[in-house]
Amino acid sequence: MEQIVYTHSPAVRAFLAKEIGMLVNGRLIAAESGKRFETCDPADGKRLTTVPQAAASDIDLAAKAAHAAFHGEWGSMLPATRGNLLWRLADLVEQNADQLAELESIDNGKPAAFARAVDVQWAIDHLRYFAGWPTKIDGENLPVSQPDMHVYTRKQPVGVVGAIIPWNFPLLMCVWKLAPALAAGCTVVVKPAEQTPLTALRLGELVIEAGFPAGVVNICTGFGEEAGAALVGHPLIDKIAFTGSTAVGREIARRAADDIKHVSLELGGKSPNIVLPDADISRAAAGAAQAIFYETGQVCSAGSRLLVHRSILEPMIEALKAEVAKINPGRGTNAATTMGPLVSKEQHDRVKKYVEIGRNQGAEIVCGGRPIDGDLASGFFFEPTILLNVPDDATVCQEEIFGPVLVVQVYDDLDELIRRANASEYGLAAGVWTRDLSNAHKLAAALDAGSVWVNCYNSFDPSTPFGGFKKSGYGRDGGRAALDKFMHTKSVWMNLA
Ligand code: NAP
Ligand code: MG
């Protein structure tokens, strides 16, 4: 606990010192049972604080509040007013950006500077982008082939949204669901991940400060099997927007089918990052390292399979090793850190196990492959790891590791490349490094991926849809596509005769 007193800023210390409440019906409250659970700092495994542990009864209160708000003040609020509230929330996130970034860093492990520049900044940008939408949601006049008929469509919100959030980008994923849902006119109950509840709870305080009517946004911390399952099963929830693992997403879709709830799923990936023989090797290596080692590899769209043309394998491996040598693992609040720990002991054990499996299936370990000890031994740190010479059907080539582990595959020609790049049950993203325009466009069309990045990787913008093919899910975050998934289309027929 001493660490907390000496390293945290006053704003973070003050937040951690109080009894943090969850947002239900416009108030910060404890769970009905009074139960709380701990969240820890993955840099040392130590407890940071406790947060309310919502159960089915708390989810019931939140869902009822969200339902009442949807049919009350929020439902009749003018679009411009709804947009202004989103903009006001963006301003408040910006005013509290350093505190939020530090909270994200200590709860998840990521470097605080990255949290400020990416997680928090992108959350602000996302809120502002969607703040512009309520005043631009329109319908169509349709040219039906029937006399004296005036037919038009209206876009209407689906109702109450249950948003279930993972731990890798806790604030940002929360905003990715909240901003379009609110812009569309829905109300929301959010269930953050148990490992990283802090920034969502702080956001709940800012939602009150922004002046949203009670019940429009509810944020209930708790466990997936308890609070999450209650949300999926609640009769007043009209839609589940989920980001997380494919296993849990599948289960949610199955359970939501009982009530024909709308579901959107942003799931896992095993994304191919492809280097063509003509690529700029140093750029490709820097991009490939960033694609897998950013956020300690805990990114759904991580470029976890690097497909390299045989003719450039050696220089690519050398350039990758040079990139790895620049990585500075450490506590996220240390300004020099460029790679934090994994989020939990569970995740750490999982990554270690996968590397072991890879070794047993014949992988050559180019670098890394072990937990980091020494000063960092008490945290969940793992070395940036590169595996070579692994068969395509090996576990480490097929399953999502969600850690700093890159698998390098070697290919000879384009057709073979496309077939092997697509030989995955996932289809979230892909990268292509080349100076050949024609091959770049061919690959962009042929790859099974919701996003293809050419000479870049993990580029995001609030305007741009992001989501999966195949078992990476369905539905899109970002852009107009995100808005659409929170709206019904109603057709109105008027007989003018
Ligand atoms: P997870 O275990 O699927 O958890 C995600 C969320 O679902 C958490 O809030 C979790 O609650 C909740 N949950 C668990 N079981 C549930 C249930 N039975 N009913 C309702 N909710 C339930 O995934 P994770 O381990 O947190 O995150 C890692 C995975 O998410 C990776 O596979 C990654 O690829 C994927 N991911 C995808 C994207 C994307 O955009 N496609 C983004 C980020 C992460 P608890 O944490 O409290 O159990
Ligand atoms: Mg934590």
Side-chain angles (χ1 to χ4, degrees), residues 37 164-169 173 176-177 191-195 222-232 242-249 251-252 255 265-269 298-301 347 350 400 402 426 428 466-468 472 477:
F37 65 98
I164 302 179
I165 311 297
W167 43 255
N168 56 348
F169 293 86
M173 291 301 111
W176 273 20
K177 306 297 184 218
K191 208 299 280 172
E194 68 194 57
Q195 296 87 347
F223 299 114
E225 311 76 53
E226 197 179 17
L231 199 53
V232 176
F242 173 78
T243 296
S245 63
T246 296
V248 172
E251 190 49 34
I252 285 176
R255 295 206 38 230
L265 302 173
E266 311 282 347
L267 308 175
Q298 304 164 112
V299 180
C300 49
S301 52
Q347 195 64 14
R350 198 176 119 106
E400 181 177 52
F402 228 53
Y426 293 114
L428 190 55
F466 175 78
S472 293
D477 285 318

Side-chain angles (χ1 to χ4, degrees), residues 362-406:
E364 175 190 331
I365 310 234
V366 174
C367 62
R370 286 168 315 188
I372 301 179
D373 44 27
D375 286 356
L376 300 177
S378 58
F380 311 130
F381 292 90
F382 202 88
E383 292 175 343
T385 299
I386 299 178
L387 306 181
L388 185 62
N389 291 331
V390 197
D392 284 10
D393 60 357
T395 312
V396 288
C397 271
Q398 291 296 329
E399 294 185 15
E400 181 177 52
I401 298 176
F402 228 53
V405 182
L406 179 66

Side-chain angles (χ1 to χ4, degrees), residues 15 46 70 83 93 136 199 211 217 241 274 281 325 330 375 393 417 420 423 455 457 469:
F15 183 73
K46 286 187 184 151
F70 182 74
V93 171
K136 295 161 195 75
T199 47
V217 178
I274 294 165
I281 294 207
D375 286 356
D393 60 357
L417 165 68
R420 291 174 63 201
N455 294 330
Y457 203 93
F469 283 25

Side-chain angles (χ1 to χ4, degrees), residues 38-42 46 48 103-109 167 193-198 343-344 380:
E38 289 185 358
T39 187
C40 81
D41 183 338
K46 286 187 184 151
L48 289 164
L103 283 172
E104 204 72 302
S105 172
I106 59 177
D107 210 7
N108 160 284
W167 43 255
E194 68 194 57
Q195 296 87 347
T196 54
L198 295 180
V343 74
S344 62
F380 311 130

Side-chain angles (χ1 to χ4, degrees), residues 86-87 89-102 104-105 110-130 169-173 175-176 179 199 203 206 294 460-463:
L86 278 166
W87 195 275
L89 184 59
D91 286 345
L92 288 170
V93 171
E94 193 165 49
Q95 283 162 29
N96 292 277
D98 291 340
Q99 184 202 25
L100 284 162
E102 191 182 336
E104 204 72 302
S105 172
K110 65 181 70 195
F114 295 6
R116 175 66 188 86
V118 175
D119 304 61
V120 178
Q121 189 56 49
W122 292 9
I124 296 164
D125 297 345
H126 217 78
L127 285 164
R128 294 214 169 111
Y129 171 84
F130 280 101
F169 293 86
L171 176 72
L172 186 62
M173 291 301 111
V175 165
W176 273 20
T199 47
L203 185 70
L206 299 178
Y294 188 79
F460 288 91
D461 187 86
S463 69

Side-chain angles (χ1 to χ4, degrees), residues 25-40:
N25 203 15
R27 293 192 312 125
L28 299 168
I29 62 169
E32 234 178 25
S33 66
K35 280 192 192 164
R36 302 180 72 81
F37 65 98
E38 289 185 358
T39 187
C40 81

Side-chain angles (χ1 to χ4, degrees), residues 56-293:
S57 62
D58 303 290
I59 294 293
D60 186 51
L61 282 179
K64 283 178 175 150
H67 181 76
F70 182 74
H71 292 283
E73 194 179 347
W74 187 247
S76 55
M77 190 177 275
L78 296 175
T81 314
R82 230 163 54 225
N84 287 343
L85 279 169
L86 278 166
W87 195 275
R88 170 100 184 103
L89 184 59
D91 286 345
L92 288 170
V93 171
E94 193 165 49
Q95 283 162 29
N96 292 277
D98 291 340
Q99 184 202 25
L100 284 162
E102 191 182 336
L103 283 172
E104 204 72 302
S105 172
I106 59 177
D107 210 7
N108 160 284
K110 65 181 70 195
F114 295 6
R116 175 66 188 86
V118 175
D119 304 61
V120 178
Q121 189 56 49
W122 292 9
I124 296 164
D125 297 345
H126 217 78
L127 285 164
R128 294 214 169 111
Y129 171 84
F130 280 101
W133 264 115
T135 52
K136 295 161 195 75
I137 297 169
D138 51 21
E140 292 175 302
N141 276 310
L142 298 169
V144 296
S145 297
Q146 296 179 26
D148 297 319
M149 276 293 182
H150 169 47
V151 180
Y152 63 93
T153 59
R154 293 174 50 84
K155 292 283 190 182
Q156 293 187 201
V158 294
V160 182
V161 173
I164 302 179
I165 311 297
W167 43 255
N168 56 348
F169 293 86
L171 176 72
L172 186 62
M173 291 301 111
C174 188
V175 165
W176 273 20
K177 306 297 184 218
L178 268 182
L182 296 174
C186 294
T187 58
V188 188
V189 181
V190 180
K191 208 299 280 172
E194 68 194 57
Q195 296 87 347
T196 54
L198 295 180
T199 47
L201 292 170
R202 179 68 184 116
L203 185 70
E205 297 181 350
L206 299 178
V207 164
I208 296 180
E209 201 178 328
F212 281 86
V216 172
V217 178
N218 304 272
I219 297 175
C220 297
T221 40
F223 299 114
E225 311 76 53
E226 197 179 17
L231 199 53
V232 176
H234 200 285
L236 292 179
I237 301 288
D238 300 293
K239 183 199 161 85
I240 296 290
F242 173 78
T243 296
S245 63
T246 296
V248 172
R250 183 184 291 120
E251 190 49 34
I252 285 176
R254 211 176 260 147
R255 295 206 38 230
D258 287 342
D259 298 331
I260 321 289
K261 282 186 171 68
H262 297 236
V263 177
S264 51
L265 302 173
E266 311 282 347
L267 308 175
K270 190 75 186 177
S271 299
N273 197 5
I274 294 165
V275 192
L276 295 188
D278 68 295
D280 175 332
I281 294 207
S282 63
R283 261 182 86 184
Q290 174 79 0
I292 185 63
F293 299 126

